[in-house]
């Protein structure tokens, strides 16, 4: 890897919702109180708003710079060990949490160009952990205020010009689909690699139109088994079989023929499904003993980060999946 350091600067660019994770171990009653289920990711509604204050009072609360895309980019950066190999764009507030986020990202070696909103607080995500499983409730706040005008500024568009690989989690479709399209179209024109993640069941279901508008541009699509099944259902495909769904995803129409599409679907402790060229490969995961499980928060993001770290270095898909499994573990 070291031999390639010279041309790695800014090779990977991410764009998404920067959120400060407010993570705490809670009990079943807490989930019931706020009407949330484990292993899900949702956007906060009125009924969830008092939860953030309650969590911040918890004695085991931890604050972590998060947001799906930002997590993946930071993991890729950590695996690459080349300062500034990655860049990231999103919107934060001008506040204490925003400063914390900047400090965190710079320390991680990511070249962040945040749009700072004067009037809206930095977005937060409640991470409720029960027996190692997590539930995510995102209060986007400032993250929701991202505008493509910021992306078009010369100093920010320069990051796009420089990058050869782009990764955006599906969550950003609820915020700035036009920004996503600008990057997707640039990647297609320049023959670069554009990648997305299904992110959550609600994206596949309720943001289907925005997702399908950008789908033809995707060279890689990531997701987990739950998202894949919801995606299939939303598409009217009569199957629950993850391998079959991955093949169908990979075969959906593409904007250009420069790159084929590869679908990568994780299934928790079951093998990773990789579909390309009409064939499926299965990769067993590294099993983690139950007593070693801290929690599952960010495991899927870390998986993608590990994968990207090898992909941008030109490694074969087997190496990408190995690194992905290592990072997720």
């Amino acid at each position: 890897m070291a031999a390639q350091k010279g041309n790695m600067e800014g090779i990977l660019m991410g764009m998404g919702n920067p959120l400060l994770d407010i993570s705490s171990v809670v009990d079943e009653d807490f989930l019931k109180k706020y009407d949330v289920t484990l292993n899900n990711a949702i956007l906060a509604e009125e009924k969830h708003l008092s939860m953030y204050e309650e969590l911040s009072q918890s004695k085991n609360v931890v604050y972590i710079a998060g947001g799906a895309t930002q997590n993946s980019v930071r993991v890729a950066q950590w695996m690459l060990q080349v300062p500034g190999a990655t860049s990231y764009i999103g919107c934060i507030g001008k506040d204490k949490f925003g400063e914390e986020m900047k400090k965190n990202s710079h320390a991680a070696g990511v070249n962040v160009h945040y749009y700072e909103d004067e009037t809206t607080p930095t977005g937060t995500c409640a991470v409720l952990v029960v027996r190692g499983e997590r539930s995510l409730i995102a209060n986007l706040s400032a993250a929701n205020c991202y505008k493509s005008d910021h992306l078009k500024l010369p100093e920010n568009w320069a990051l796009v010009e420089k990058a050869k690989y782009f990764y955006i989690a599906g969550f950003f479709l609820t915020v700035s689909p036009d920004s996503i399209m600008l990057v997707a179209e640039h990647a297609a024109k320049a023959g670069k690699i554009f990648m997305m993640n299904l992110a959550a069941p609600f994206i596949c279901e309720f943001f289907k139109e925005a997702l399908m508008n950008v789908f033809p541009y995707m060279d890689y699509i990531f997701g987990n088994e739950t998202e894949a099944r919801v995606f299939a259902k939303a598409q009217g495909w009569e199957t629950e079989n993850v391998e079959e769904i991955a093949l169908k995803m990979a075969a959906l129409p593409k904007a250009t023929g420069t790159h084929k599409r590869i679908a990568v679907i994780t299934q928790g402790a079951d093998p990773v499904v990789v579909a390309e060229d009409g064939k499926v490969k299965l990769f067993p995961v590294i099993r983690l003993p139950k007593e070693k499980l801290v929690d599952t928060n960010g495991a899927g993001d870390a998986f993608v980060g590990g994968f990207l770290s090898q992909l941008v270095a030109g490694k074969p898909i087997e190496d990408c999946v190995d690194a992905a499994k290592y990072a997720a573990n």
Side-chain angles (χ1 to χ4, degrees):
M1 204 77 119
Q4 298 170 319
K5 285 195 177 182
N7 58 4
M8 291 300 256
E9 198 196 330
I11 194 164
L12 171 67
M13 179 187 157
M15 188 164 62
N17 300 334
L19 304 171
L20 195 72
D21 282 359
I22 305 175
S23 177
S24 180
V25 174
V26 299
D27 55 20
E28 298 281 356
D29 290 343
F30 194 96
L31 299 184
K32 280 200 197 82
K33 176 178 177 181
Y34 289 105
D35 188 25
V36 291
T37 53
L38 279 178
N39 293 316
N40 201 6
I42 59 170
L43 295 176
E45 296 169 46
E46 200 63 46
K47 64 183 176 188
H48 300 124
L49 296 182
S50 62
M51 175 173 57
Y52 297 89
E53 186 49 42
E54 189 174 340
L55 281 178
S56 69
Q57 304 301 318
S58 155
K59 59 181 183 302
N60 63 24
V61 68
V62 194
Y63 294 92
I64 313 154
T69 307
Q70 185 163 247
N71 287 342
S72 296
V73 168
R74 285 177 55 191
V75 170
Q77 178 60 52
W78 166 67
M79 298 276 286
L80 282 164
Q81 299 286 310
V82 181
T86 61
S87 63
Y88 175 80
I89 281 182
C91 184
I92 59 175
K94 258 189 162 9
D95 54 19
K96 184 174 91 224
F97 283 171
E99 284 308 312
E100 188 64 29
M101 193 90 79
K102 278 197 287 199
K103 202 173 76 197
N104 252 300
S105 304
H106 288 140
V110 180
N111 180 15
V112 292
H113 284 215
Y114 293 124
Y115 168 52
E116 295 184 46
D117 191 284
E118 304 273 348
T119 54
T120 322
T122 296
T124 49
C125 182
V127 180
L128 311 181
V129 180
V130 179
R131 295 182 306 278
E133 304 288 350
R134 57 82 176 137
S135 185
L136 308 176
I137 304 92
N139 185 7
L140 295 180
S141 300
N144 205 26
C145 301
Y146 192 80
K147 305 281 182 289
S148 57
D149 296 348
H150 176 260
L151 179 63
K152 291 174 188 165
L153 293 172
E155 64 270 29
N156 300 326
W157 192 254
L159 299 178
V160 178
E161 295 280 357
K162 191 163 205 176
K164 295 188 174 66
Y165 296 81
F166 302 97
Y167 175 69
I168 302 171
F171 292 118
F172 202 54
L173 286 164
T174 74
V175 173
S176 188
D178 55 328
S179 297
I180 298 178
M181 281 313 273
L182 283 171
V183 172
E185 284 165 353
H186 165 84
K189 254 206 303 282
K192 297 175 176 182
I193 302 281
F194 180 79
M195 303 169 278
M196 284 193 73
N197 196 315
L198 296 174
F202 82 87
I203 298 289
C204 306
E205 232 171 333
F206 305 116
F207 291 86
K208 181 179 155 187
E209 192 185 340
L211 178 64
M212 296 323 288
N213 283 345
V214 75
F215 216 91
Y217 294 92
M218 295 179 202
D219 301 308
Y220 284 80
I221 178 69
F222 296 92
N224 66 26
E225 76 280 39
T226 314
E227 293 149 9
R229 289 186 177 120
V230 173
F231 180 87
K233 196 173 166 196
Q235 299 298 317
W237 298 344
E238 300 282 307
T239 179
E240 289 257 305
N241 181 309
V242 174
E243 294 175 39
E244 211 176 308
I245 295 167
L247 282 170
K248 279 176 160 314
M249 275 185 188
L252 283 169
K254 286 216 71 204
T256 72
T258 317
H259 308 288
K260 59 190 174 187
R261 182 183 302 112
I262 297 178
V264 182
I265 309 295
T266 60
Q267 311 186 84
D270 293 325
V272 177
V273 176
V274 176
E276 65 171 310
D277 294 331
K279 293 186 198 64
V280 161
K281 284 185 187 147
L282 297 176
F283 297 89
V285 300
I286 308 167
R287 286 198 172 253
L288 189 69
K290 215 40 178 171
E291 65 277 6
K292 280 197 165 173
L293 179 70
V294 179
D295 62 52
T296 56
N297 185 36
D301 302 333
F303 178 93
V304 174
F307 190 101
L308 297 177
S309 72
Q310 302 308 295
L311 187 70
V312 303
K315 298 291 173 72
I317 197 128
E318 289 74 11
D319 293 7
C320 297
V321 175
D322 274 347
K325 295 189 301 192
Y326 168 79
N329 190 291

